[in-house]
Amino acid sequence: VSTQSTGSSGINAEYGKQWYQRRVRGTKMAVCSNNSVIIWSMNSQQKWIKEDVGIELDKLKTVQRISWAHPEFGQVLAVSTLNEVSIWEYRSSDGGGQWFNRTTPPISEPRHLVIKDVRFSPSYSGMGRSRALDLAYCTDSGQLKILRCKDARLLKDWETVKEFSQCKDAFTCLAWNVTSTCSMIAVGTAESSAKGTV
C-alpha cells in the first residue's frame, strides 16, 4: 500500500473534474477516472491511502460506472464502459496483490447503445433470496437486465435471469432495495422514475 494519504478534498484535488464516479465499501473506495480505477483504503487515522495496485483498461476505453460486490464474495468490482461490463477480482499474495479481469459478460444490445449504470445486488441477492451473485445494468434505450454468476468462486460464467424493456425513456441510473423485505430495483430516467419487483 502506498504511503500517500489524503482526505476527500485531496481526492477531489488529485482528480479535479476528471473522475467520473467513486464507490465506498467499508474501508475501501474505488474511484474511476478515464481508463483506470484507483483503489483507496482508510487507515486508523481516518485518512484515505491510495493503493499501489489498481485497474487499467485499454486507453481507448473510458470507465463510466463501478460497483462493489458484497464482501462475502471477496474484493470484486464491476467496471462498465460505454458498451461493456467487466468483472474484476483482487487476489493477494506474498509478493503483493493484483486485480484480475475474470470475464466480460455478454451484452446483447447493439454496440451503439450506452450502459448508464451498473450495480451488484445486496447480500441477500434479491432474486428469490438465493444468495447468488447478481448484477443489474441499465441502458439509454430503456432496458434493464439482471445477470447471475453461475459460480461465484470463479466469476467467469454469467447468464441473463431477468430482462425489462418496457420504458420509452432512457434510463439514467438504478438502485437495489438494500433490505431483505422484498426484491426490488428502482430505475431513474431524465424525466421520471420507475420501480419494479424482480
Side-chain angles (χ1 to χ4, degrees):
V1 176
S2 169
T3 57
Q4 179 178 354
S5 65
T6 183
S8 296
S9 59
I11 294 173
N12 289 331
E14 175 165 347
Y15 291 102
K17 295 182 180 180
Q18 297 300 311
W19 65 269
Y20 298 97
Q21 189 180 53
R22 57 183 176 184
R23 294 289 187 199
V24 177
R25 191 201 70 183
T27 60
K28 294 285 186 179
M29 176 169 63
V31 179
C32 61
S33 176
N34 298 321
N35 70 321
S36 64
V37 179
I38 307 301
I39 309 300
W40 300 71
S41 297
M42 180 174 286
N43 65 13
S44 57
Q45 286 76 43
Q46 304 298 302
K47 294 291 187 180
W48 288 107
I49 309 297
K50 186 168 71 172
E51 298 186 359
D52 293 330
V53 179
I55 296 171
E56 291 285 337
L57 302 184
D58 186 280
K59 292 183 178 180
L60 298 178
K61 297 179 179 180
T62 299
V63 180
Q64 299 290 325
R65 293 289 185 268
I66 48 180
S67 178
W68 289 101
H70 190 272
E72 69 181 278
F73 299 106
Q75 292 192 51
V76 178
L77 271 171
V79 178
S80 74
T81 60
L82 289 177
N83 51 31
E84 73 175 18
V85 178
S86 54
I87 307 299
W88 294 76
E89 182 185 24
Y90 180 83
R91 286 295 181 94
S92 59
S93 63
D94 294 338
Q98 183 177 350
W99 285 92
F100 295 92
N101 185 355
R102 294 308 186 192
T103 190
T104 300
I107 304 297
S108 60
E109 287 81 14
R111 301 296 288 181
H112 66 273
L113 297 183
V114 176
I115 298 173
K116 302 300 290 185
D117 203 1
V118 59
R119 296 289 185 97
F120 276 113
S121 61
S123 60
Y124 69 87
S125 196
M127 308 292 297
R129 315 283 179 84
S130 61
R131 300 189 68 81
L133 181 58
D134 293 332
L135 179 71
Y137 72 89
C138 61
T139 72
D140 65 346
S141 65
Q143 293 181 322
L144 169 68
K145 284 193 175 183
I146 301 171
L147 307 177
R148 171 167 293 173
C149 184
K150 295 181 179 180
D151 188 341
R153 297 169 299 177
L154 301 177
L155 300 172
K156 290 186 177 296
D157 296 322
W158 295 73
E159 60 182 346
T160 301
V161 291
K162 286 284 185 178
E163 181 175 356
F164 305 91
S165 57
Q166 301 175 354
C167 184
K168 297 180 180 179
D169 298 323
F171 287 150
T172 58
C173 57
L174 69 91
W176 289 83
N177 177 19
V178 297
T179 71
S180 59
T181 56
C182 63
S183 303
M184 184 177 293
I185 289 180
V187 292
T189 72
E191 302 296 330
S192 59
S193 62
K195 63 181 180 180
T197 301
V198 297

